[in-house]
């Protein structure tokens, strides 16, 4: 490595270290990631219900959700709850019952991996139940750890 590329590398490392991981930014970031996962679910639903004939795309949606599942729980650092970030819908129970929260995320990891495997088979009779189970895994966490949004 020459001196110039070393300098660039050092600068990049420094700016990463200086990232402003304030509770507000952590909550904003998880909101965006959650919405992304939500959109992959919505896109998948259009295909699974047969409203769009793009079955081959399901694998990409499943992969994106399963990738997110791997780091989901890390999006909830201590001190980023509604006491500090009032507009967050995260319930304090997440941090009071961290083990249960991680377990809910394990269920999501497994369900998204199963959905990914089903999409790889390309068989709708496998895809449909796996998609249903995946949806339940989202609800399983939301029911306990997310505030009901007033609609
Ligand atoms: C391990 C727990 C957990 C799992 C699993 C989970 N969520 Fe969430 N989700 C949350 C929490 C907590 C919030 C509220 C975050 C906040 O407001 O700070 C949330 C918020 C959301 C939101 C609203 C955006 C927001 O930040 O308020 C959407 C959309 C969403 N989730 C979709 C999904 C979908 C779709 C799945 C499954 C594919 C899923 N979630 C799985 C815990 C989870």
């Amino acid at each position: 490595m020459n001196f110039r590329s070393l300098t660039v590398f050092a600068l990049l490392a420094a700016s990463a270290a200086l990232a402003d991981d304030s509770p507000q930014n952590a909550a904003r970031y998880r909101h965006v990631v959650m919405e992304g996962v939500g959109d992959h679910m919505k896109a998948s639903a259009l295909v699974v219900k047969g409203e769009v004939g793009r079955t081959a795309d399901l694998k990409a949606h499943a992969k994106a959700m399963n990738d997110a599942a791997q780091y989901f729980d890390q999006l909830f650092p201590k001190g980023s709850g509604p006491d500090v970030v009032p507009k967050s819908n995260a319930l304090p129970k997440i941090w009071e019952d961290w083990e249960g929260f991680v377990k809910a995320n394990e269920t999501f990891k497994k369900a998204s991996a199963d959905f990914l495997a089903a999409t790889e088979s390309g068989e709708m009779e496998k895809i449909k139940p796996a998609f249903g189970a995946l949806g339940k895994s989202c609800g399983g966490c939301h029911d306990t750890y997310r505030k009901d949004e007033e609609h």
Side-chain angles (χ1 to χ4, degrees):
M1 212 185 263
N2 62 28
F3 178 71
R4 174 170 282 186
S5 57
L6 257 181
T7 311
V8 170
F9 179 76
L11 280 173
L12 280 174
S15 62
L18 290 174
D20 177 14
D21 263 6
S22 65
Q24 286 74 17
N25 285 352
R28 268 170 63 206
Y29 180 68
R30 79 171 164 249
H31 177 79
V32 174
V33 174
M34 277 287 174
E35 291 288 354
V37 167
D39 285 345
H40 283 294
M41 265 319 254
K42 285 183 201 157
S44 301
L46 288 174
V47 180
V48 173
K49 286 183 196 154
E51 290 169 29
V52 178
R54 298 194 56 84
T55 311
D57 291 3
L58 287 177
K59 203 174 135 185
H61 294 304
K63 176 86 170 59
M65 289 189 272
N66 185 243
D67 283 349
Q70 307 311 313
Y71 61 82
F72 238 38
D73 45 4
Q74 295 167 28
L75 300 180
F76 294 85
K78 237 184 181 159
S80 66
D83 45 339
V84 181
V85 187
K87 71 177 183 199
S88 167
N89 289 318
L91 289 177
K93 192 169 174 19
I94 292 172
W95 296 278
E96 292 157 13
D97 173 30
W98 183 250
E99 256 176 52
F101 182 70
V102 169
K103 212 163 149 202
N105 192 47
E106 290 299 324
T107 306
F108 170 50
K109 272 188 198 169
K110 165 105 178 44
S112 54
D114 289 349
F115 180 55
L116 179 58
T119 63
E120 279 163 352
S121 79
E123 295 167 38
M124 260 311 164
E125 62 273 24
K126 286 185 183 164
I127 291 172
K128 278 190 180 166
F131 184 67
L134 176 58
K136 278 198 188 127
S137 78
C138 314
C141 187
H142 292 162
D143 287 350
T144 313
Y145 300 102
R146 186 178 74 165
K147 196 165 81 187
D148 276 341
E149 286 180 81
E150 296 100 51
H151 288 287

